[in-house]
Amino acid sequence: MRQKLIAGNWKMYKTIPEALQLVKQLRTKMEKNPPAKTKVVVCPPFTALAAVSETLKSSAIGVGAQNIFWEDEGAYTGEVSAKMIKNAGAKYVIIGHSERRRYFKEDSQVINKKIKTALAHKLHVIHCVGETLEEREQELTRDIVLNQVEWDLKNLAVADLKNLTIAYEPVWAIGTGRNATPEQAQEVHSFLREILDALFQPGVGKKMTILYGGSVKPENAAALLSQPDVDGALVGGACLEAGSFWKIIQASEKAG
Ligand code: PEP
């Protein structure tokens, strides 16, 4: 059985007091009604990582960061290392988010280095892939995700995949309110499993947790999460409020 996972990417939102308010509300909901099958992870900004981790120490909610640099320390102004986020309590890290690719020009070479560093530090990687609208319209979705998986995960071993979750996030669906249809998500997720089989080892694809991300909301979560190859969601906007994030967690619990 694949692990179901609902992860919240807070992006550049929430001061420390706001972050603590949100996770305390979420923790209360989780304690009243603990999810039986769904792992829940929150990824606050770096500034709130330590405080959030401390608050969630004895809870079932995991904590992740949204990025790392590939060196452990050094003269890299403004960067934060894997060692630092671990020390602040993170066990997960999002790598390759389309906003990092787009605004910070992260390419597969950079993403590959970051993934290897995260894995070397025993962090669980949430690796994002996905095509732009233009690429989808040109029917390049398969080529794009194949290319991203192949180069971002270059030289990883099959054993590394245990600590890696892929998030299929079509760029045109992120923060736009326009989600992929459940069928579109299913098609790419199933293709991602084929890619993993071909690149790593036959059979490995069906063991991997693959998330969908892109305008997941309480209203569309059930349909997306009921697809056979959709194991969970990476949620942006709707994770910033405990009530809507909780509804998505409940949709995961009810799905398949
Ligand atoms: C994201 O940032 O990974 C994301 C999917 O955002 P949203 O849910 O707001 O589209």
Side-chain angles (χ1 to χ4, degrees), residues 9 11 97 169 173-175 213-216 234-237:
N9 173 16
K11 313 196 187 196
H97 192 281
E169 297 210 312
I174 298 177
S215 296
V216 177
L234 181 55
V235 184

PDB file of all heavy atoms in Angstrom, residues 9 11 97 169 173-175 213-216 234-237, ligand 1:
ATOM      1  N   ASN A   9       2.169  23.581   1.106  1.00  0.00           N
ATOM      2  CA  ASN A   9       3.278  24.473   0.754  1.00  0.00           C
ATOM      3  C   ASN A   9       2.828  25.898   1.053  1.00  0.00           C
ATOM      4  O   ASN A   9       2.030  26.467   0.327  1.00  0.00           O
ATOM      5  CB  ASN A   9       3.603  24.311  -0.739  1.00  0.00           C
ATOM      6  CG  ASN A   9       4.622  25.334  -1.216  1.00  0.00           C
ATOM      7  OD1 ASN A   9       5.307  25.963  -0.418  1.00  0.00           O
ATOM      8  ND2 ASN A   9       4.715  25.506  -2.532  1.00  0.00           N
ATOM      9  N   LYS A  11       4.471  28.588   0.909  1.00  0.00           N
ATOM     10  CA  LYS A  11       5.145  29.626   0.097  1.00  0.00           C
ATOM     11  C   LYS A  11       5.613  30.771   1.015  1.00  0.00           C
ATOM     12  O   LYS A  11       5.982  30.522   2.153  1.00  0.00           O
ATOM     13  CB  LYS A  11       4.233  30.123  -1.014  1.00  0.00           C
ATOM     14  CG  LYS A  11       3.569  28.997  -1.779  1.00  0.00           C
ATOM     15  CD  LYS A  11       2.999  29.444  -3.075  1.00  0.00           C
ATOM     16  CE  LYS A  11       2.198  28.303  -3.687  1.00  0.00           C
ATOM     17  NZ  LYS A  11       1.920  28.494  -5.088  1.00  0.00           N
ATOM     18  N   HIS A  97      10.186  23.043  -7.161  1.00  0.00           N
ATOM     19  CA  HIS A  97       8.883  23.688  -7.361  1.00  0.00           C
ATOM     20  C   HIS A  97       8.975  24.613  -8.572  1.00  0.00           C
ATOM     21  O   HIS A  97      10.000  25.256  -8.805  1.00  0.00           O
ATOM     22  CB  HIS A  97       8.492  24.475  -6.104  1.00  0.00           C
ATOM     23  CG  HIS A  97       7.072  24.919  -6.124  1.00  0.00           C
ATOM     24  ND1 HIS A  97       6.648  26.010  -6.842  1.00  0.00           N
ATOM     25  CD2 HIS A  97       5.966  24.396  -5.526  1.00  0.00           C
ATOM     26  CE1 HIS A  97       5.340  26.151  -6.683  1.00  0.00           C
ATOM     27  NE2 HIS A  97       4.898  25.178  -5.892  1.00  0.00           N
ATOM     28  N   GLU A 169       2.757  18.787 -10.745  1.00  0.00           N
ATOM     29  CA  GLU A 169       2.132  20.101 -10.598  1.00  0.00           C
ATOM     30  C   GLU A 169       2.164  20.836 -11.937  1.00  0.00           C
ATOM     31  O   GLU A 169       3.155  21.513 -12.250  1.00  0.00           O
ATOM     32  CB  GLU A 169       2.891  20.930  -9.561  1.00  0.00           C
ATOM     33  CG  GLU A 169       2.863  20.352  -8.175  1.00  0.00           C
ATOM     34  CD  GLU A 169       2.932  21.443  -7.115  1.00  0.00           C
ATOM     35  OE1 GLU A 169       3.791  22.336  -7.223  1.00  0.00           O
ATOM     36  OE2 GLU A 169       2.114  21.420  -6.212  1.00  0.00           O
ATOM     37  N   ALA A 173      -1.769  25.248 -13.494  1.00  0.00           N
ATOM     38  CA  ALA A 173      -2.795  25.015 -12.480  1.00  0.00           C
ATOM     39  C   ALA A 173      -2.385  25.577 -11.117  1.00  0.00           C
ATOM     40  O   ALA A 173      -3.187  25.593 -10.189  1.00  0.00           O
ATOM     41  CB  ALA A 173      -3.060  23.516 -12.358  1.00  0.00           C
ATOM     42  N   ILE A 174      -1.146  26.042 -11.001  1.00  0.00           N
ATOM     43  CA  ILE A 174      -0.669  26.483  -9.687  1.00  0.00           C
ATOM     44  C   ILE A 174      -1.089  27.919  -9.414  1.00  0.00           C
ATOM     45  O   ILE A 174      -0.724  28.828 -10.153  1.00  0.00           O
ATOM     46  CB  ILE A 174       0.866  26.343  -9.579  1.00  0.00           C
ATOM     47  CG1 ILE A 174       1.258  24.881  -9.739  1.00  0.00           C
ATOM     48  CG2 ILE A 174       1.358  26.905  -8.250  1.00  0.00           C
ATOM     49  CD1 ILE A 174       2.741  24.640  -9.713  1.00  0.00           C
ATOM     50  N   GLY A 175      -1.871  28.081  -8.370  1.00  0.00           N
ATOM     51  CA  GLY A 175      -2.291  29.413  -7.937  1.00  0.00           C
ATOM     52  C   GLY A 175      -3.243  30.098  -8.904  1.00  0.00           C
ATOM     53  O   GLY A 175      -3.498  31.294  -8.785  1.00  0.00           O
ATOM     54  N   GLY A 213      -0.615  18.449  -7.571  1.00  0.00           N
ATOM     55  CA  GLY A 213      -0.669  19.808  -7.028  1.00  0.00           C
ATOM     56  C   GLY A 213      -1.081  20.789  -8.093  1.00  0.00           C
ATOM     57  O   GLY A 213      -0.682  20.676  -9.262  1.00  0.00           O
ATOM     58  N   GLY A 214      -1.859  21.779  -7.696  1.00  0.00           N
ATOM     59  CA  GLY A 214      -2.324  22.804  -8.637  1.00  0.00           C
ATOM     60  C   GLY A 214      -3.783  23.086  -8.362  1.00  0.00           C
ATOM     61  O   GLY A 214      -4.645  22.342  -8.820  1.00  0.00           O
ATOM     62  N   SER A 215      -4.025  24.145  -7.554  1.00  0.00           N
ATOM     63  CA  SER A 215      -5.384  24.584  -7.227  1.00  0.00           C
ATOM     64  C   SER A 215      -6.247  23.478  -6.618  1.00  0.00           C
ATOM     65  O   SER A 215      -7.439  23.374  -6.926  1.00  0.00           O
ATOM     66  CB  SER A 215      -6.058  25.196  -8.463  1.00  0.00           C
ATOM     67  OG  SER A 215      -5.355  26.367  -8.860  1.00  0.00           O
ATOM     68  N   VAL A 216      -5.630  22.644  -5.763  1.00  0.00           N
ATOM     69  CA  VAL A 216      -6.450  21.669  -5.026  1.00  0.00           C
ATOM     70  C   VAL A 216      -7.215  22.438  -3.945  1.00  0.00           C
ATOM     71  O   VAL A 216      -6.629  23.219  -3.188  1.00  0.00           O
ATOM     72  CB  VAL A 216      -5.593  20.549  -4.388  1.00  0.00           C
ATOM     73  CG1 VAL A 216      -6.476  19.604  -3.560  1.00  0.00           C
ATOM     74  CG2 VAL A 216      -4.841  19.771  -5.455  1.00  0.00           C
ATOM     75  N   LEU A 234      -0.216  18.139  -3.070  1.00  0.00           N
ATOM     76  CA  LEU A 234       0.619  19.232  -2.590  1.00  0.00           C
ATOM     77  C   LEU A 234      -0.261  20.471  -2.757  1.00  0.00           C
ATOM     78  O   LEU A 234      -0.678  20.801  -3.872  1.00  0.00           O
ATOM     79  CB  LEU A 234       1.918  19.342  -3.401  1.00  0.00           C
ATOM     80  CG  LEU A 234       2.893  20.445  -2.978  1.00  0.00           C
ATOM     81  CD1 LEU A 234       3.276  20.348  -1.506  1.00  0.00           C
ATOM     82  CD2 LEU A 234       4.179  20.379  -3.821  1.00  0.00           C
ATOM     83  N   VAL A 235      -0.548  21.096  -1.636  1.00  0.00           N
ATOM     84  CA  VAL A 235      -1.569  22.147  -1.608  1.00  0.00           C
ATOM     85  C   VAL A 235      -0.927  23.490  -1.304  1.00  0.00           C
ATOM     86  O   VAL A 235      -0.180  23.606  -0.333  1.00  0.00           O
ATOM     87  CB  VAL A 235      -2.617  21.820  -0.509  1.00  0.00           C
ATOM     88  CG1 VAL A 235      -3.745  22.846  -0.518  1.00  0.00           C
ATOM     89  CG2 VAL A 235      -3.159  20.397  -0.667  1.00  0.00           C
ATOM     90  N   GLY A 236      -1.212  24.497  -2.116  1.00  0.00           N
ATOM     91  CA  GLY A 236      -0.701  25.843  -1.852  1.00  0.00           C
ATOM     92  C   GLY A 236      -1.759  26.669  -1.131  1.00  0.00           C
ATOM     93  O   GLY A 236      -1.947  26.551   0.080  1.00  0.00           O
ATOM     94  N   GLY A 237      -2.488  27.483  -1.892  1.00  0.00           N
ATOM     95  CA  GLY A 237      -3.458  28.429  -1.318  1.00  0.00           C
ATOM     96  C   GLY A 237      -4.368  27.848  -0.241  1.00  0.00           C
ATOM     97  O   GLY A 237      -4.545  28.452   0.825  1.00  0.00           O
TER      98      GLY A 237
HETATM   99  C1  PEP B   1       1.844  24.786  -4.896  1.00  0.00           C
HETATM  100  O1  PEP B   1       2.334  25.833  -4.570  1.00  0.00           O
HETATM  101  O2  PEP B   1       2.548  23.767  -4.904  1.00  0.00           O
HETATM  102  C2  PEP B   1       0.443  24.753  -5.302  1.00  0.00           C
HETATM  103  C3  PEP B   1      -0.036  23.644  -5.798  1.00  0.00           C
HETATM  104  O3  PEP B   1      -0.285  25.914  -5.154  1.00  0.00           O
HETATM  105  P1  PEP B   1      -1.888  26.089  -5.322  1.00  0.00           P
HETATM  106  O4  PEP B   1      -2.544  24.968  -4.552  1.00  0.00           O
HETATM  107  O5  PEP B   1      -2.179  27.434  -4.727  1.00  0.00           O
HETATM  108  O6  PEP B   1      -2.178  26.026  -6.766  1.00  0.00           O
END
